Amino acid sequence: MADTRPYIGGQAVLEGVMMRAPGCVTVAVRRPDGTIAVKETPFRSRFAGLMKLPFLRSLSLGESMRVGMRALTFSAEQQIPPGESEEDGKGAYVAKWLTVVSFLAVLVIFKGTPQVLGWLVGSWLHVDRVQDWRFHVIVGGFQLLMLLGYLLFVSRLPEMRRLFQYHGAEHKTITAYEKGLPLTVENVRAQTTLHPRCGTTFLVVVAVVTIVAGAVVTPILLPTMAGWRAQVATFGIRIALLPLIAATSFELQRLSARYCTVGPLRVLLWPGFLFQKITTREPDDRQIEVAIVAMQ
């Protein structure tokens, strides 16, 4: 029976949780007055016909980002006191620009900076040639360290701690649903905050795949180039490979979530779980209630 149940994905939002099923998206948000606002909208993926096709189904990642930004916009609107509502359309406009700025910041901070640091350290260790696989390991290591540092920093902010609690509530509720348990606070509370399909784990997989892709592709495309030109060209290659890296990471995470949840292969999930221990927190019962409402 469990294998025929609809696949549910989720996301933590401001003071709430978004749940996405094949036919609808529901956002449940705790308002400042204690009530729960619910927004349920029909959903039809433009890539539904590709979901059984490996690599091509990763096209749905961009669609998921758009759905997530709409959910975040709705959750933010619920925190505005009555009479202080923003102008119509302003919140969505700001959200779109924040998405663009965030994407550019990710490229600079989590792509460009690790490569510069890798070049500097690689020069010191005499492994700065872009054709050397060890250079790509160093760059990938810095990428993971910067992700770790960023998550540790934001986890200290009170607002982010609450977001991470709702992230934990989302994971717990989905796990209870996947086990076929009645969705009660008691059943959900007993579940783990860690989940193999989490977006945090996806970022870790992306970092690992980036190392392998760089080590394989760069020597082929830049067999003799060296110096700062090679660094710039390598950065361009990394950006150009992002769709393929994302698609490969998407498939690897699907496989690990399906085949590595029990037995000795579970060790493959632990790198992602270690990062999830930062981005999820144990929720309280009121936060679990919100996640259950979104799931129901």
Side-chain angles (χ1 to χ4, degrees):
M1 176 179 173
D3 291 337
T4 62
R5 304 182 79 191
Y7 166 85
I8 305 295
Q11 175 184 315
V13 296
L14 300 175
E15 293 299 324
V17 172
M18 178 268 284
M19 294 290 187
R20 173 179 164 181
C24 71
V25 174
T26 301
V27 190
V29 179
R30 181 80 68 180
R31 291 192 179 110
D33 62 4
T35 60
I36 299 177
V38 179
K39 180 181 180 181
E40 183 174 358
T41 55
F43 177 75
R44 172 68 179 174
S45 173
R46 291 179 295 175
F47 305 102
L50 302 177
M51 291 312 293
K52 293 185 178 180
L53 300 177
F55 293 95
L56 289 180
R57 56 189 164 206
S58 66
L59 292 171
S60 63
L61 289 172
E63 187 175 61
S64 297
M65 290 180 63
R66 288 193 296 274
V67 171
M69 286 306 302
R70 294 192 191 105
L72 280 170
T73 301
F74 172 76
S75 67
E77 291 169 349
Q78 303 313 302
Q79 307 309 312
I80 300 174
E84 297 182 18
S85 298
E86 299 183 46
E87 299 176 8
D88 291 341
K90 183 179 178 181
Y93 176 80
V94 172
K96 289 179 181 178
W97 275 106
L98 282 176
T99 303
V100 174
V101 172
S102 298
F103 180 73
L104 294 176
V106 166
L107 290 182
V108 173
I109 297 173
F110 297 110
K111 289 293 183 182
T113 304
Q115 181 155 341
V116 172
L117 293 174
W119 185 18
L120 295 174
V121 173
S123 298
W124 178 57
L125 297 175
H126 303 292
V127 289
D128 59 328
R129 296 183 70 253
V130 298
Q131 296 82 9
D132 191 329
W133 64 269
R134 294 173 296 177
F135 167 76
H136 297 279
V137 172
I138 294 173
V139 173
F142 275 118
Q143 189 173 337
L144 287 171
L145 281 175
M146 294 199 68
L147 175 61
L148 177 62
Y150 169 77
L151 293 177
L152 288 173
F153 171 74
V154 299
S155 68
R156 299 179 64 85
L157 304 176
E159 296 82 1
M160 291 303 296
R161 282 201 296 270
R162 288 194 61 79
L163 185 70
F164 290 167
Q165 283 182 293
Y166 277 106
H167 192 191
E170 173 226 325
H171 282 187
K172 283 173 172 281
T173 305
I174 290 177
T175 299
Y177 164 82
E178 291 174 341
K179 289 182 177 180
L181 300 174
L183 293 180
T184 64
V185 172
E186 291 73 19
N187 286 340
V188 172
R189 190 194 306 121
Q191 308 309 313
T192 177
T193 62
L194 308 178
H195 198 283
R197 294 197 309 272
C198 176
T200 304
T201 293
F202 179 74
L203 294 178
V204 176
V205 177
V206 165
V208 175
V209 173
T210 299
I211 294 173
V212 177
V216 172
V217 175
T218 306
I220 296 174
L221 298 181
L222 308 174
T224 60
M225 189 177 292
W228 67 268
R229 291 183 179 85
Q231 296 295 329
V232 173
T234 300
F235 180 74
I237 290 172
R238 287 176 180 273
I239 301 304
L241 288 176
L242 276 177
L244 179 59
I245 290 172
T248 303
S249 302
F250 186 78
E251 296 301 324
L252 289 175
Q253 187 173 21
R254 283 175 62 94
L255 289 173
S256 64
R258 183 172 183 178
Y259 297 110
C260 302
T261 55
V262 294
L265 289 179
R266 187 174 172 81
V267 69
L268 297 176
L269 297 175
W270 274 103
F273 283 170
L274 290 175
F275 278 77
Q276 282 188 48
K277 285 181 177 291
I278 303 174
T279 64
T280 61
R281 291 287 190 272
E282 284 293 334
D284 59 34
D285 288 353
R286 284 166 56 83
Q287 292 168 325
I288 291 175
E289 289 173 0
V290 173
I292 290 175
V293 169
M295 175 66 79
Q296 290 174 332

